[in-house]
Amino acid sequence: MGFPPISSAAQKPQWVPRNEQTSRRFIVTGANRGIGFATATGLAALGAHVVLAGHEPSESFSEAMDRIAMETGCARDSLSYMPLDLRSLDSVRQFAKSWQQRPEAERALFGLVNNAGIAGMPGVSPDGFEMCFQVNYLSMFLLTRLMLPYLHPVDGEPARIVCVSSSAHLFTLGIPTDEKYLRQPGAGFFSLRYGESKLCVNSFVRQLAKRLDSAQVQAFAVHPGSTASGFWSSFPAWAQRCIASVAQDPSAAARTSLYCATESKLLSGGYYAGCEQANASFWLGSAEKAEQLWLKSCAWTGTSPNSILPK
């Protein structure tokens, strides 16, 4: 989420998803509403099998899938739901375990869209981390690492990992790596915590792209732009009304995620906004900080810092 991208994209013709994704399987987190719902709808319209993941009641996902099927004409059984609560690393591990137990033919994955995120939340997670850092970054880190074995190219096209970031990552004081700081409650969107969590997302995407064979799997960070969605639900009603009056709708915000999930010949590890590559924070130029974040994230999630695939 965050601020509108600074570009001339408004004067350019809007990109429209056209590349068929028939029988390709995608996971979209936070897919029952907002940008996630619009992303899942866009993928389903292209013929993809879409797994909607999130922590809200299963009824809300059932309703979302009914809407997607009605709006796109896709088969209802090409959509499914799996519970996932990014506030908990154990929930992420359970999600991966449940995926591993699916029939072999239903495990192959072409795309993972890490869409779910929060503006801020009081307190710390069950794992003891500040909530923005946990939900927006650390759980996404673990989910991606655990799903990597299932991501495979299709018809010569590399599999895709799309991580929703924000232009708010530009407005920070650097990549946070101090564990004591990251375990203290934050103050939400209008603090550094939200932007820091998204800076970590961008750093992760770059580190992941360095370690992956881009002919097999590619990774991207995207900025959707300010959007009228449930993302702002923790804000006062008057603030939500003000945001809704100037923000874009979720279908427009989902466009860059769909672009990176379905277009060819993009730069793996890149940061995209307005369906084109954008300038990312200069803080990402610190190789030392990026490596520190990678190593500590591996330690906090119990994943290997060396082998990219879980053993």
Side-chain angles (χ1 to χ4, degrees), residues 17-309:
R18 296 185 180 89
N19 295 331
E20 288 294 323
Q21 303 296 308
T22 304
S23 301
R24 297 179 179 184
R25 184 171 289 105
F26 289 80
I27 294 170
V28 182
T29 65
N32 61 317
R33 55 192 173 97
I35 300 172
F37 175 81
T39 303
T41 301
L43 291 169
L46 295 171
H49 290 271
V50 186
V51 178
L52 289 75
H55 74 277
E56 295 184 12
S58 59
E59 293 80 5
S60 69
F61 284 88
S62 181
E63 292 170 4
M65 290 185 287
D66 288 343
R67 284 181 56 201
I68 292 172
M70 182 177 65
E71 292 177 15
T72 66
C74 73
R76 179 62 171 74
D77 62 7
S78 69
L79 306 168
S80 60
Y81 157 71
M82 290 180 64
L84 172 67
D85 189 344
L86 295 177
R87 293 171 294 188
S88 164
L89 294 177
D90 281 344
S91 177
V92 177
R93 296 185 184 102
Q94 182 57 52
F95 180 94
K97 182 178 179 181
S98 297
W99 190 272
Q100 196 275 332
Q101 293 170 346
R102 291 162 65 100
E104 186 174 357
E106 297 179 13
R107 278 179 281 184
L109 190 61
F110 181 72
L112 170 62
V113 182
N114 289 307
N115 165 82
I118 60 171
M121 190 178 291
V124 295
S125 73
D127 300 291
F129 289 95
E130 187 272 327
M131 291 299 290
C132 270
F133 182 78
Q134 169 98 37
V135 173
N136 296 349
Y137 169 69
L138 194 62
S139 288
M140 179 220 66
F141 177 100
L142 178 60
L143 177 65
T144 304
R145 294 292 304 273
L146 295 179
M147 300 311 295
L148 276 173
Y150 308 107
L151 285 157
H152 300 289
V154 176
D155 299 329
E157 285 283 331
R160 313 297 172 88
I161 299 166
V162 179
C163 300
V164 174
S165 180
S166 169
S167 62
H169 88 278
L170 297 166
F171 306 100
T172 71
L173 298 178
I175 297 173
T177 58
D178 180 70
E179 184 169 354
K180 182 178 179 181
Y181 170 74
L182 292 171
R183 289 186 179 277
Q184 294 174 348
F189 186 80
F190 292 109
S191 70
L192 294 176
R193 297 305 189 106
Y194 175 77
E196 287 171 346
S197 71
K198 295 302 187 178
L199 182 62
C200 291
V201 169
N202 281 47
S203 180
F204 171 58
V205 165
R206 288 192 176 193
Q207 291 296 309
L208 195 59
K210 283 171 52 178
R211 291 166 166 82
L212 292 171
D213 178 353
S214 62
Q216 299 296 310
V217 185
Q218 297 184 348
F220 309 97
V222 304
H223 168 54
S226 297
T227 309
S229 71
F231 176 85
W232 308 104
S233 59
S234 62
F235 282 49
W238 65 266
Q240 294 185 51
R241 289 193 295 270
C242 290
I243 292 166
S245 68
V246 297
Q248 63 187 338
D249 63 68
S251 61
R255 197 170 287 126
T256 305
S257 290
L258 290 169
Y259 178 77
C260 290
T262 65
E263 282 293 328
S264 304
K265 300 178 180 178
L266 303 182
L267 177 65
S268 184
Y271 169 62
Y272 286 79
C275 298
E276 61 184 9
Q277 197 169 359
N279 293 324
S281 171
F282 70 90
W283 290 115
L284 295 169
S286 172
E288 180 182 358
K289 277 287 190 178
E291 184 67 13
Q292 284 180 19
L293 180 65
W294 174 268
L295 293 174
K296 290 189 176 186
S297 298
C298 290
W300 293 328
T301 58
T303 52
S304 170
N306 302 313
S307 174
I308 194 67
L309 296 175

